[in-house]
């Protein structure tokens, strides 16, 4: 049978998320990530507030310098303006790059941001207040894309003495603010200046690459430390769970009382419980053995005496009563001993068991069909498993005359479905038939499990292996007995 790897992976992930370690790690990861995100958001908001205040102060000083420069050039006679600009370009090292252009230069504006608007508003309001200039064109550009003099000339194409000293700071490339003011119908005063901070217009976010990396490293560090601690804490709990499962399957072994105080107390209480239950089981077995020994002798004597009676009717009645009493005694011993099987767990080839039952049942007629096979041997108690399967198959053949057994196997569990074509069982009696000595038909002649113990023994054996036996009626006709056995 092919096992879907995707389903298997999902099953393992689901089991991990439902475990104590998985749930604690998930909660801690979410807690650390949330704390990191909240603290980063608070820190970023404070940083943005401080940055806005600093930019506003710097913008005010820059705006006054720009206003003073504009006032100086507009106050010069027209014939002197070009002379002063040429001298500044030859000297270099000024705060501003200034030209007089014959047209408005189209600036490829950088994306808008709150800080950019603060600078723009400060410069614009200062020009209005100081000089009464309302028609200034203010824009921001990157140095590599800045056009000067005309719409065809870029700053990087000019000689270095013309503006590189004032507008280029390698290797950094701060944004450049450009102010263009129409002086008359023909000339535009073009003024460009570097912003003081190369990164002041860069956007900030609480989920930037660096912060995500820092958050991931914090979460990983916390998870690694948590795994080390949780493994130490949960290892005794896992040992306790395995010991409880083994004990439920009849394998009694005391566990080490290690770990935290609470875990040690739990382990000690579990060991005490195991000892008490084991004593009870041993006492129960000795009790039934004693009852068997004590009752068999008087039953045998009574039978001998009954056979010596002269009256045939009385003799036959007493012998039948003694046979019923002997059968009840054997059934009681069988229900105790065969559901408390002391066997070592070994590899059990369930497919071969069912094939052997098929060969035996089909000596004369085709009664039993087996469909499917196990991919791997099942680890369990072989005689108990054989007894469980035999009871289910016998019931199906007795009530349904024919039966089909389906074997379904995967890496987590084995499922055996025994389906017959019999009359089925009323829904209200599904649970009752698992009780010892329960039969739905009074006549049990010819049925090997005639005392009504078959289903009870089968369910007890399945539960001793950590599994279960359930019954369900088919929609059309017949009964399905489902044996489920987990792989441990």
């Amino acid at each position: 049978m092919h096992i879907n790897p995707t389903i298997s992976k999902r099953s393992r992930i689901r089991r991990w998320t439902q475990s104590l370690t998985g749930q604690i790690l998930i909660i801690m990861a979410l807690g650390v990530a949330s704390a990191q995100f909240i603290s980063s958001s608070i820190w970023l908001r404070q940083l943005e507030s401080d940055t806005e205040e600093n930019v506003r102060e710097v913008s005010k000083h820059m705006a006054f310098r720009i206003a003073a420069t504009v006032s100086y050039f507009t106050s010069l006679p027209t014939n002197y303006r070009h002379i002063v600009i040429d001298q500044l370009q030859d000297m270099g090292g000024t705060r501003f790059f200034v030209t007089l252009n014959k047209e408005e230069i189209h600036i490829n504006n950088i994306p808008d941001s709150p800080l950019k608007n603060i600078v723009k508003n400060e410069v614009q309001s200062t020009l209005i207040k100081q000089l009464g200039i309302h028609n200034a064109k203010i824009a921001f550009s990157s140095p590599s894309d800045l056009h000067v003099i005309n719409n065809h000339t870029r700053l990087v194409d000019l000689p270095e003495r013309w503006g590189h000293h004032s507008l280029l700071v390698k290797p950094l490339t701060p944004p450049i603010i450009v102010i263009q003011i129409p002086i008359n119908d023909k000339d535009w005063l073009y003024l460009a200046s570097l912003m003081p901070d190369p990164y002041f217009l860069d956007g900030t976010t609480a989920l930037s690459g660096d912060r995500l990396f820092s958050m991931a490293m914090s979460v990983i560090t916390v998870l690694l430390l948590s795994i080390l601690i949780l493994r130490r804490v949960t290892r005794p709990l896992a040992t306790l769970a395995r010991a409880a499962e083994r004990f439920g399957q009849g394998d009694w072994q005391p566990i080490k009382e290690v770990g935290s105080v609470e875990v040690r107390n739990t382990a000690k209480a579990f060991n005490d419980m195991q000892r008490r239950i084991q004593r009870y089981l041993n006492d129960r077995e000795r009790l039934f053995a004693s009852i068997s020994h004590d009752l068999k002798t008087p039953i045998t004597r009574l039978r001998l005496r009954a056979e010596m009676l002269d009256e045939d009717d009385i003799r036959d009645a007493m012998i039948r009563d003694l046979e019923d009493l002997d059968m009840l005694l054997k059934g009681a011993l069988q229900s105790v001993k065969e559901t408390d099987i002391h066997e070592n767990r070994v590899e059990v080839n369930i497919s071969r068991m069912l094939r052997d039952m098929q060969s035996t049942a089909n000596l004369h007629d085709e009664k039993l069909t087996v469909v499917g096979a196990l991919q791997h041997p099942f680890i369990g108690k072989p005689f108990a498993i054989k007894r469980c399967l035999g009871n289910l198959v016998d019931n199906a053949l007795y009530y349904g005359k024919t039966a089909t057994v389906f074997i379904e196997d995967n890496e987590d569990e084995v499922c055996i479905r025994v389906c017959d074509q019999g009359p089925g069982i009323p829904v209200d009696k599904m649970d009752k038939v698992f009780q010892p000595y329960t039969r739905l038909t009074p006549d049990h002649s010819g049925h090997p499990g005639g005392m009504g113990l078959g289903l009870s023994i089968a369910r007890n054996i399945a539960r001793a292996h950590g599994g279960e036996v359930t019954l369900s009626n088919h929609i059309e006709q017949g009964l399905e007995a489902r044996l489920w056995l987990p792989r441990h």
Side-chain angles (χ1 to χ4, degrees):
M1 183 179 295
H2 177 68
I3 300 173
N4 192 330
T6 303
I7 297 177
S8 177
K9 184 177 181 181
R10 289 177 180 173
S11 177
R12 287 194 296 268
I13 293 175
R14 183 170 60 252
R15 287 200 302 267
W16 182 83
T17 55
Q18 292 174 351
S19 66
L20 177 62
T21 300
Q23 292 180 1
I24 292 178
L25 289 179
I26 291 173
I27 293 173
M28 294 191 69
L30 292 176
V32 172
S34 300
Q36 287 275 355
F37 178 76
I38 294 172
S39 62
S40 297
S41 300
I42 296 173
W43 171 82
L44 181 61
R45 186 67 193 92
Q46 185 63 41
L47 179 64
E48 289 176 349
S49 178
D50 295 341
T51 302
E52 289 178 2
E53 188 63 29
N54 293 335
V55 168
R56 187 171 283 106
E57 291 297 325
V58 172
S59 300
K60 287 181 180 179
H61 295 293
M62 178 181 289
F64 280 110
R65 292 198 302 270
I66 292 173
T69 303
V70 172
S71 177
Y72 170 72
F73 275 95
T74 54
S75 64
L76 288 174
T78 305
N79 296 333
Y80 285 92
R81 291 173 181 171
H82 288 285
I83 298 173
V84 173
I85 290 174
D86 291 339
Q87 290 177 349
L88 290 175
Q89 291 173 351
D90 290 336
M91 293 169 57
T94 59
R95 292 178 180 272
F96 303 108
F97 176 86
V98 184
T99 62
L100 282 175
N101 302 325
K102 297 299 183 181
E103 59 182 346
E104 179 185 358
I105 306 300
H106 297 292
I107 305 299
N108 293 326
N109 228 339
I110 62 177
D112 288 335
S113 69
L115 297 180
K116 172 185 167 182
N117 294 331
I118 291 175
V119 177
K120 183 177 179 179
N121 293 336
E122 286 293 335
V123 173
Q124 198 165 30
S125 62
T126 301
L127 290 176
I128 294 173
K129 292 178 182 179
Q130 297 292 326
L131 305 177
I133 297 175
H134 295 268
N135 57 352
K137 306 289 185 178
I138 303 174
F140 292 84
S141 174
S142 62
S144 61
D145 195 33
L146 177 63
H147 288 77
V148 296
I149 302 177
N150 56 55
N151 286 305
H152 305 288
T153 305
R154 295 188 305 168
L155 174 65
V156 294
D157 299 328
L158 295 178
E160 290 189 3
R161 65 182 181 85
W162 278 35
H164 287 228
H165 296 292
S166 58
L167 295 181
L168 291 179
V169 183
K170 296 181 179 180
L172 301 177
T173 55
I176 296 175
I177 182 172
V178 179
I179 300 98
Q180 299 184 81
I181 302 172
I183 297 178
N184 50 47
D185 294 339
K186 298 180 180 180
D187 297 325
W188 286 77
L189 178 62
Y190 180 100
L191 186 145
S193 176
L194 283 173
M195 296 307 299
D197 185 355
Y199 307 108
F200 93 102
L201 290 181
D202 291 348
T204 55
T205 173
L207 296 177
S208 63
D210 292 341
R211 292 187 180 89
L212 285 176
F213 177 77
S214 175
M215 185 184 301
M217 293 305 297
S218 299
V219 171
I220 291 173
T221 302
V222 170
L223 291 183
L224 289 177
L225 294 175
S226 300
I227 288 174
L228 295 176
I229 297 173
L230 287 174
R231 288 184 62 184
R232 179 179 175 84
V233 172
T234 59
R235 189 181 294 113
L237 295 178
T239 302
L240 178 62
R242 289 191 297 268
E245 186 174 4
R246 289 196 306 267
F247 182 66
Q249 298 169 2
D251 183 10
W252 176 69
Q253 290 181 357
I255 62 174
K256 295 181 179 179
E257 300 174 7
V258 296
S260 62
V261 174
E262 293 80 4
V263 174
R264 289 200 304 270
N265 292 338
T266 303
K268 183 177 183 303
F270 179 77
N271 285 333
D272 293 340
M273 179 195 70
Q274 284 191 109
R275 283 189 285 269
R276 288 194 300 270
I277 294 177
Q278 191 62 40
R279 285 196 301 269
Y280 163 76
L281 294 176
N282 294 336
D283 292 342
R284 185 189 69 167
E285 188 173 348
R286 286 193 296 269
L287 173 63
F288 275 89
S290 176
I291 292 174
S292 173
H293 180 270
D294 293 343
L295 290 182
K296 280 184 178 180
T297 300
I299 290 176
T300 303
R301 289 199 303 266
L302 286 174
R303 182 164 185 164
L304 291 174
R305 291 176 181 176
E307 290 177 350
M308 296 174 64
L309 294 176
D310 296 332
E311 294 83 355
D312 294 338
D313 294 340
I314 298 176
R315 182 179 66 249
D316 293 339
M318 290 186 66
I319 290 176
R320 286 195 299 271
D321 291 339
L322 290 172
E323 287 177 347
D324 291 340
L325 182 59
D326 186 56
M327 183 174 292
L328 290 175
L329 177 61
K330 290 179 179 179
L333 293 174
Q334 183 185 44
S335 65
V336 172
K337 291 184 178 181
E338 295 195 4
T339 59
D340 185 23
I341 299 175
H342 301 284
E343 292 185 82
N344 293 326
R345 290 178 175 270
V346 296
E347 291 186 354
V348 182
N349 194 330
I350 295 179
S351 298
R352 188 175 63 185
M353 283 184 180
L354 291 172
R355 301 293 178 188
D356 292 341
M357 294 179 188
Q358 181 183 25
S359 300
T360 303
N362 296 342
L363 288 176
H364 302 289
D365 299 319
E366 191 75 20
K367 296 181 179 180
L368 183 61
T369 304
V370 179
V371 180
L374 262 68
Q375 302 300 316
H376 306 285
F378 177 78
I379 305 299
K381 300 178 179 181
F383 292 108
I385 295 293
K386 185 175 183 179
R387 179 67 174 172
C388 177
L389 292 173
N391 287 348
L392 297 179
V393 171
D394 288 344
N395 276 349
L397 293 177
Y398 178 75
Y399 291 104
K401 308 304 179 185
T402 61
T404 303
V405 180
F406 297 93
I407 304 174
E408 300 171 357
D409 184 22
N410 59 48
E411 64 179 8
D412 296 324
E413 62 186 25
V414 176
C415 180
I416 310 295
R417 295 188 296 114
V418 183
C419 305
D420 62 45
Q421 296 296 318
I425 297 176
V427 177
D428 59 340
K429 296 182 179 179
M430 283 288 185
D431 292 330
K432 184 179 180 181
V433 294
F434 286 103
Q435 298 176 7
Y437 307 109
T438 299
R439 296 188 51 81
L440 299 183
T441 56
D443 180 19
H444 53 80
S445 59
H447 186 24
M451 289 179 291
L453 295 170
L455 288 177
S456 174
I457 293 173
R459 170 172 277 186
N460 289 340
I461 292 174
R463 289 179 174 177
H465 285 78
E468 184 59 277
V469 172
T470 57
L471 301 176
S472 61
N473 289 316
H474 284 296
I475 297 176
E476 297 178 356
Q477 182 182 1
L479 181 73
E480 176 181 299
R482 181 178 181 272
L483 169 62
W484 171 75
L485 298 171
R487 292 186 180 273
H488 299 295

